[in-house]
Every structure is written in structure tokens, then in C-alpha cells.
């Protein structure tokens, strides 16, 4: 399940859900990278999945602690800062555009971009608006576009909740047959 469209840091966290993980295989993660191609400059290629998993864990810890009003763990902050240091961004004016270039290998560039997105989320005004999905057993996060949004995806968890509610309502009102 590839669910994208949230801020990049949340999309990274949402690569792992209750029943799966897009970082289980290079092919699954490449599909996720392809879905993010408009937001990432790192090419879709082989990357060190263990390094991405470690960064995702650090982002998860930072977001959880910050959402709860606490200070993220020092080790998680160090992991984000290390990713940023390994492939710092430098802007270059190529008229009329500004290009962002990074040193480092493909994995270092990708980690730096993901860490940068996490820093933007953690230090920006939207962190307090991040919500967890109200779907039973769903672990995904989202930034609601409107205050009434409750699910990571209306088509996924929202539909499941509505179907379950419909089933309960109609089965509760169905007459039970008695053996004669």
C-alpha cells in the first residue's frame, strides 16, 4: 500500500503501517520513491534500506515526542543532524531557476532530503495539527486539510469504518430466526 500526499516526513513515517512496510524490499521502496519523484531530487535507484529505516525511526521518535509536547531524544536528533551533514544542500542560480545540489552518494542525498523534510515539519507551524488515523488499528499519520478529517484515507480506513458501521447497524436490526 503506497499512500502519499502528506508532508514528505509524514509520508516517510507512513511507509510502515500495522501490516506492512515499504522498506521490506528495494522494489517496494523504489515504487514509493517514484510516487515522490516531484518532491525528491535523489534518483530512483538502489539505496541502503537499513539507513532509511534508521532515519525513519529517528523521525518517528522526534515526531512522537514533539507532538506530545516533549523534547525529542538526543539520539534521534543526532541521527537527523548527521543525515543533514552528510549531504548539505547548496543553492545554485541557473537563470532563471534556483537549483539545489547536494554532494554525497545516492543514499546520503536521499537521507538528507528526508531529514530536511522532517526538520521542516518539526519546526514548522503544522506539527500541532498532525493527527493519527481514527481507523481501528491504523498507525498512519496525516495533516488534515479540513478540521473534520479523521482518517488517513477516506478510501481506505474511512471506508472500512463506514462498512463496519453499516454491517453492525443492519445485523443488529435483523430479526433472528427461531427454530420451530
Amino acid at each position: 500500500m503506497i499512500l502519499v500526499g502528506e508532508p514528505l516526513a509524514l509520508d516517510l513515517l507512513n511507509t510502515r503501517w500495522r501490516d506492512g512496510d515499504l522498506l521490506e524490499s528495494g522494489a517496494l521502496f523504489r515504487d514509493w520513491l517514484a510516487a515522490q519523484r516531484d518532491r525528491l531530487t535523489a534518483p530512483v535507484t538502489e539505496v541502503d534500506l537499513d539507513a532509511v529505516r534508521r532515519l525513519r525511526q529517528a523521525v518517528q521518535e522526534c515526531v512522537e515526542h514533539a507532538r506530545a509536547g516533549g523534547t525529542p531524544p538526543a539520539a534521534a536528533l543526532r541521527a537527523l543532524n548527521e543525515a543533514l551533514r552528510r549531504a548539505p544542500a547548496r543553492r545554485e542560480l541557473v537563470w532563471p531557476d534556483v537549483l539545489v545540489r547536494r554532494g554525497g552518494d545516492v543514499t546520503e542525498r536521499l537521507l538528507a532530503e528526508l531529514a530536511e523534510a522532517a526538520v521542516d515539519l518539526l519546526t514548522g507551524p503544522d506539527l500541532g495539527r498532525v493527527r493519527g488515523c481514527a481507523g481501528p488499528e491504523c498507525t498512519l499519520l496525516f495533516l488534515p486539510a479540513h478540521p473534520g478529517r479523521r482518517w488517513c484515507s477516506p478510501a481506505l480506513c474511512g471506508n472500512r469504518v463506514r462498512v463496519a458501521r453499516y454491517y453492525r447497524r443492519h445485523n443488529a436490526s435483523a430479526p433472528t430466526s427461531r427454530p420451530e
Side-chain angles (χ1 to χ4, degrees):
M1 169 179 81
I2 296 179
L3 186 63
V4 297
E6 298 300 332
L8 184 57
L10 295 181
D11 277 358
L12 173 63
L13 296 178
N14 290 342
T15 58
R16 177 178 46 208
W17 63 97
R18 184 176 54 93
D19 294 333
D21 188 341
L22 293 177
L23 293 175
E24 287 177 356
S25 78
L28 290 171
F29 189 60
R30 278 192 302 279
D31 290 344
W32 183 84
L33 288 171
Q36 301 288 359
R37 70 180 159 274
D38 294 339
R39 300 200 286 179
L40 293 170
T41 61
V44 177
T45 185
E46 295 299 320
V47 296
D48 179 352
L49 293 179
D50 286 333
V52 178
R53 280 187 209 99
R54 287 190 300 274
L55 180 69
R56 179 181 63 187
Q57 183 60 38
V59 172
Q60 180 77 42
E61 291 173 16
C62 287
V63 168
E64 284 175 0
H65 281 81
R67 283 183 66 213
T71 301
L77 293 174
R78 274 194 305 277
L80 289 180
N81 287 324
E82 179 61 26
L84 293 169
R85 268 193 298 277
R86 287 184 170 271
R90 64 177 176 17
R91 295 167 30 129
E92 187 175 304
L93 182 60
V94 179
W95 195 258
D97 299 315
V98 175
L99 301 177
V100 176
R101 301 195 192 274
R102 294 182 186 276
D105 65 26
V106 172
T107 297
E108 289 170 334
R109 291 193 309 265
L110 174 63
L111 293 177
E113 288 185 65
L114 294 172
E116 200 169 80
V119 168
D120 290 345
L121 177 67
L122 290 164
T123 60
D126 289 332
L127 180 65
R129 294 182 41 233
V130 172
R131 291 188 188 168
C133 181
E137 300 181 28
C138 185
T139 61
L140 301 183
L141 299 172
F142 63 92
L143 186 63
H146 57 82
R149 183 174 171 195
R150 298 179 40 208
W151 302 296
C152 60
S153 166
L156 295 174
C157 287
N159 192 49
R160 287 182 191 135
V161 169
R162 285 187 294 274
V163 167
R165 188 172 41 227
Y166 176 88
Y167 182 79
R168 280 192 309 273
R169 189 172 54 242
H170 284 77
N171 282 340
S173 63
T176 57
S177 60
R178 292 186 179 167
E180 294 187 35

